[in-house]
Amino acid sequence: MLEELLAAGVTEAEYDAWLIRIGEGDQFSSGFVEVNPNSKIPALSDHSTTPPTRVFESGNILLYLAEKFGHFLPKDPAGRTETLNWLFWLQGSAPFLGGGFGHFYNYAPVKIEYAIDRFTMEAKRQLDVLDKQLARGRYVAGEEYTIADIAIWPWYGNVVLGNVYGAAEFLDAGSYKNVLRWAQDIASRPGVKRGRIVNRTNGPLNEQLHERHAASDFDTNTEDKRQQ
Ligand SMILES: N[C@@H](CCC(=O)N[C@@H](CS)C(=O)NCC(=O)O)C(=O)O
């Protein structure tokens, strides 16, 4: 979202992205808990206000930034409501995809057939819902790129592009043609190409920017450069 705002010319969206290593428990440190008492990433602290404003829950972070800077959330009531329909849809659905399907299919140390079947069925049902919606327009909430796309792409976009869980074939991702077309479309956006590598600690070294404190970090501080 912040890279998209900068790409849209909002210079005030310049930001610091600090790395919170959840595998090492950084999310339980007192400083982080002050910003998000629920100890989950992402969390935002807006220091342009006095006192700083804390924002947690990814959906609320997107809404906060969209309203603060006036981008990616339609102003007309119908467009705004449809965008929020899909933003809230993502917040309700993603735990089934990540915590359900992703966990039992990919991460769980024991493979439980019933759990895999249950969450595969649900993940495919959600992909079908999204596919039907994307048959109606270029983006999730219509012809305009919104915070609904920004929220949904990292989950369902990455699944159909084969970037997470190694499950694209298993889920028959190619059959969700509209989701795939949308996922590829969004993947080509310059802001998305930059944003997806921020705070990333896996994958190719040139696609890992552990911390981002200035736009120039994309040129100088990716892990391939830091480890030279
Ligand atoms: N509903 C939250 C979910 C955030 C969430 O689950 N974050 C995970 C990483 S994807 C996390 O921080 N896990 C750390 C932990 O559970 O200790 C949001 O949308 O912001």
Side-chain angles (χ1 to χ4, degrees), residues 41-227:
I41 55 169
L44 174 84
S45 187
D46 180 356
H47 287 256
S48 74
T49 65
T50 312
T53 305
R54 76 176 189 187
V55 195
F56 57 89
E57 282 297 320
S58 56
N60 195 36
I61 292 173
L62 291 172
L63 187 55
Y64 178 85
L65 293 171
E67 288 184 329
K68 181 179 175 88
F69 295 118
H71 282 271
F72 308 122
L73 179 60
K75 303 224 168 17
D76 66 292
R80 177 186 161 90
T81 302
E82 183 65 354
T83 300
L84 295 183
N85 284 340
W86 289 99
L87 181 65
F88 280 73
W89 174 84
L90 181 278
Q91 297 304 324
S93 301
F96 288 93
L97 185 65
F101 175 75
H103 178 79
F104 288 109
Y105 178 78
N106 189 44
Y107 299 113
V110 275
K111 301 297 172 207
I112 306 166
E113 192 179 345
Y114 178 83
I116 294 171
D117 288 351
R118 159 97 174 81
F119 288 111
T120 299
M121 226 158 64
E122 178 60 9
K124 288 178 72 68
R125 191 193 66 78
Q126 292 175 354
L127 281 166
D128 189 56
V129 170
L130 191 58
D131 197 60
K132 290 197 168 87
Q133 177 64 14
L134 284 164
R136 299 164 55 146
R138 179 170 177 187
Y139 296 113
V140 171
E143 294 309 309
E144 203 179 312
Y145 180 68
T146 68
I147 51 174
D149 300 284
I150 296 174
I152 296 170
W153 185 85
W155 291 95
Y156 297 87
N158 272 325
V159 163
V160 298
L161 292 174
N163 293 336
V164 284
Y165 314 141
E169 197 182 335
F170 181 74
L171 291 170
D172 194 18
S175 68
Y176 305 100
K177 292 200 168 24
N178 301 298
V179 181
L180 197 55
R181 180 258 308 151
W182 163 86
Q184 288 163 344
D185 187 9
I186 291 179
S188 69
R189 296 177 67 90
V192 171
K193 284 188 179 163
R194 283 194 295 277
R196 64 183 287 280
I197 76 167
V198 175
N199 293 154
R200 187 172 172 188
T201 54
N202 56 27
L205 293 179
N206 64 341
E207 293 184 8
Q208 294 185 34
L209 181 59
H210 287 186
E211 295 213 344
R212 186 261 189 227
H213 300 290
S216 58
D217 285 337
F218 289 102
D219 301 321
T220 54
N221 274 335
T222 46
E223 283 304 294
D224 56 326
K225 307 241 168 66
R226 276 165 47 90
Q227 292 183 20

